[in-house]
């Protein structure tokens, strides 16, 4: 029994130390449902949704949608994003599950539905991640 407890303690300390080394940002990352109750939909005011939120590396954005046309394109390039050029070479990732969990990395990240004309109609999300 004592040996068992010691093992648990050692594993615990080991986890704690590796956490310190890796800064463990993912562990306390917040999860955000994009658009709240409106979800990822043309009805959500995404500009308003980002107001007052401070996104950090390791936080998770959850895109929930039923319509596959709303599949989510991720871009870093602001110029291409403004033009709604969501395809290659600007496209970083395409999420299609309808319950897409995106772990944020530092910097500015843009999202829009991949299928026209949602982006052209202004359904766009930009987050600044610290
Ligand atoms: C979305 O919210 C912003 C900021 O509150 C507001 O200025 C804008 O008019 C809203 N857009 C729509 C389409 O309601």
């Amino acid at each position: 029994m004592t040996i068992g407890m010691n093992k648990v303690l050692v594993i615990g300390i080991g986890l704690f130390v590796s956490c310190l080394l890796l800064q463990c940002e993912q562990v306390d990352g917040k999860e955000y449902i994009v658009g709240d109750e409106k979800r990822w939909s043309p009805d959500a005011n995404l500009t308003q949704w980002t107001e007052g939120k401070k996104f950090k590396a390791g936080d998770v954005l959850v895109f929930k949608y039923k319509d596959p046309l709303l599949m989510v394109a991720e871009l870093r390039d602001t110029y291409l994003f403004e033009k709604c050029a969501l395809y290659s070479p600007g496209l970083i990732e395409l999420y299609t599950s309808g319950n897409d969990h995106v772990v944020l990395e530092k910097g500015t990240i843009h999202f829009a539905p991949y299928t026209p004309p949602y982006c052209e109609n202004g359904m766009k999300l930009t987050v600044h991640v610290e």
Side-chain angles (χ1 to χ4, degrees):
M1 273 305 153
T2 359
I3 293 169
M5 283 306 289
N6 283 344
K7 267 190 191 160
V8 169
L9 200 62
V10 167
I11 291 168
I13 290 169
L15 281 177
F16 180 69
V17 170
S18 34
C19 238
L20 286 180
L21 293 175
L22 300 171
Q23 300 200 319
C24 257
E25 288 191 74
Q26 276 87 342
V27 169
D28 53 11
K30 273 196 208 161
E31 200 173 274
Y32 295 96
I33 309 286
V34 176
D36 293 327
E37 66 279 356
K38 298 258 175 76
R39 313 295 177 166
W40 180 242
S41 82
D43 296 338
N45 185 334
L46 298 167
T47 314
Q48 195 173 44
W49 182 77
T50 56
E51 276 170 14
K53 291 189 173 65
K54 290 219 174 226
F55 299 103
K56 294 196 174 141
D59 287 351
V60 178
L61 294 187
V62 184
F63 295 84
K64 288 180 180 279
Y65 51 94
K66 294 218 171 76
D67 186 346
L69 294 179
L70 292 174
M71 62 178 144
V72 185
E74 174 182 344
L75 283 85
R76 286 273 182 167
D77 190 302
T78 300
Y79 175 73
L80 292 175
F81 182 70
E82 279 171 1
K83 296 206 305 178
C84 288
L86 304 178
Y87 35 81
S88 173
L91 184 69
I92 288 179
E93 191 77 61
L94 189 59
Y95 303 95
T96 60
S97 79
N99 183 24
D100 306 323
H101 289 62
V102 179
V103 180
L104 296 177
E105 289 167 18
K106 203 171 154 71
T108 298
I109 315 176
H110 306 288
F111 300 95
Y114 186 66
T115 324
Y118 291 104
C119 179
E120 289 79 356
N121 288 348
M123 189 176 163
K124 292 172 155 197
L125 173 66
T126 296
V127 292
H128 303 284
V129 184
E130 290 171 15

